[in-house]
Amino acid sequence: MHRNDLCWCGSGLKYKRCHLDFDEKIASIKLDPRRGQIKPPHEIIKNEKDIAGIIKSGQINNAALDLVADNIKEGMDTLTLNDMVHKFIVDNGGIPACLNYAGYPKSICISINNVVCHGIPSKDTILKDGDIVNVDITTIFDGYFADASRMFMIGNVSPEAKKLVEVTKKCMELGIEAVRPWHFVGDIGAMIQKYAHANNYSVVTALGGHGVGKKFHEEPFVNHAGEKNTGMLLVPGMVLTVEPMINIGGHDVYTDEKDGWTVYTKDGSLSAQWEKTILITQTGTQILAD
Ligand code: MF3
Ligand code: CO
Ligand code: CO
């Protein structure tokens, strides 16, 4: 690309006044192929307009999770929550991204106790005292995606379950602290794994976080376990999720054969997850959805 061409990012600015310095900085970094270090593709770098769109989508998504927080309670079936969130997102001009995504049948995911993720809301699934529940919502607004999930504790939760929920939240926060411009994606999993293992928990690696924004799932895959200084270089303008799934027992999981979606812990142990959408800025990070 020539200095006077319009920048590849779609800003409408000339390359020399937009991402030329950025590209030169990336080119100057010596990447180590033995550590799987790669540079990010241009397609996943967001411009100001993209970021504004993801912020707006994130605001709707956050409000949808707040609505869940205000309404979730013992005795409720999970389809009621699904329908409430669906209506809220649509009333606010958004689209629930999960609905029909790769054939997924509902608008959000609700994953209880030993369900790791992708639990399908149902009239037959009733929230009961002691449950730990992940509600994962993704909104599309003006073509932009924002993705977040939170844990909810129903009634009197056992100390073991409560600790898992709290440690998993801390895992997410530590993972987010590891998200820094000009560092590597592997730093995230290294931090999460260290804290999870210190608490005798395991980290699910069959699924992970992901780039997000113009699509639901973009590069890079964010492994929640791994090694520092490995994988994709993190640079300003990237948006990704940190969404550790942490198990009390082993890390192995399996997918329900009948519904094709629900992911369970193999040993039946409890699992928890928290997720935020994070923008990498020049100096650090900005939370776009939580
Ligand atoms: N929101 C999930 C994630 O964090 C993806 C759910 S995909 C669905 O990536 F199809 F199950 F909804
Ligand atoms: Co996600
Ligand atoms: Co999600």
Side-chain angles (χ1 to χ4, degrees):
M1 163 154 288
H2 192 271
R3 298 173 56 78
N4 286 318
D5 291 343
L6 292 181
C7 186
W8 50 258
C9 80
S11 63
L13 299 172
K14 285 188 176 176
Y15 183 44
K16 65 184 177 190
R17 290 196 41 231
C18 196
H19 278 96
L20 175 60
D21 290 350
F22 169 95
D23 278 341
E24 283 177 356
K25 172 146 186 176
I26 291 177
S28 75
I29 293 172
K30 182 111 181 64
L31 297 170
D32 182 352
R34 287 167 312 171
R35 292 176 175 273
Q37 294 179 349
I38 52 169
K39 62 179 183 185
H42 283 164
E43 305 87 77
I44 64 168
I45 308 300
K46 278 74 181 177
N47 64 28
E48 293 299 325
K49 174 178 175 281
D50 299 331
I51 291 163
I54 303 167
I55 287 173
K56 189 78 227 300
S57 184
Q59 286 166 348
I60 298 169
N61 207 68
N62 292 350
L65 279 163
D66 291 345
L67 182 71
V68 171
D70 288 345
N71 287 281
I72 193 166
K73 65 171 199 293
E74 185 182 347
M76 183 180 246
D77 70 82
T78 57
L79 188 63
T80 297
L81 274 178
N82 176 88
D83 294 352
M84 191 183 291
V85 170
H86 180 99
K87 183 176 189 317
F88 179 85
I89 292 173
V90 170
D91 286 350
N92 283 277
I95 300 167
C98 293
L99 186 60
N100 300 321
Y101 174 76
Y104 186 79
K106 298 294 174 198
S107 301
I108 63 177
C109 298
I110 304 181
S111 305
I112 306 172
N113 297 334
N114 60 320
V115 176
V116 174
C117 63
H118 303 167
I120 302 173
S122 162
K123 222 168 168 24
D124 300 328
T125 305
I126 313 291
L127 299 175
K128 58 181 197 309
D129 185 57
D131 282 346
I132 58 168
V133 184
N134 175 274
V135 179
D136 192 338
I137 307 180
T138 307
T139 297
I140 314 171
F141 183 80
D142 195 21
Y144 293 105
F145 293 73
D147 185 8
S149 78
R150 301 180 196 163
M151 292 299 295
F152 299 96
M153 295 189 264
I154 308 299
N156 296 301
V157 168
S158 72
E160 293 75 24
K162 189 164 185 280
K163 184 186 166 201
L164 174 68
V165 170
E166 284 164 1
V167 168
T168 303
K169 188 173 195 187
K170 184 76 182 170
C171 283
M172 174 190 63
E173 289 164 355
L174 290 168
I176 292 168
E177 281 178 34
V179 179
R180 286 184 291 173
W182 313 110
H183 289 69
F184 291 89
V185 73
D187 299 11
I188 300 169
M191 283 291 282
I192 291 170
Q193 181 178 34
K194 192 169 164 213
Y195 192 70
H197 288 179
N199 283 279
N200 273 312
Y201 295 150
S202 65
V203 179
V204 174
T205 52
L207 303 109
H210 50 93
V212 64
K214 301 195 219 185
K215 293 192 290 179
F216 199 157
H217 296 104
E218 304 174 357
E219 284 186 84
F221 175 75
V222 179
N223 195 335
H224 297 112
E227 243 190 286
K228 215 173 141 52
N229 289 317
T230 60
M232 190 178 284
L233 180 70
L234 302 175
V235 301
M238 284 172 71
V239 177
L240 49 77
T241 71
V242 174
E243 51 177 306
M245 286 150 272
I246 306 295
N247 301 346
I248 286 186
H251 75 275
D252 285 340
V253 302
Y254 69 93
T255 304
D256 190 303
E257 283 180 13
K258 289 204 198 85
D259 70 29
W261 283 101
T262 314
V263 178
Y264 298 90
T265 56
K266 194 165 186 184
D267 59 13
S269 69
L270 293 176
S271 184
Q273 178 180 31
W274 292 82
E275 175 177 25
K276 296 189 196 219
T277 293
I278 319 289
L279 167 69
I280 302 173
T281 65
Q282 300 292 335
T283 52
T285 54
Q286 184 183 336
I287 308 298
L288 303 190
D290 69 348

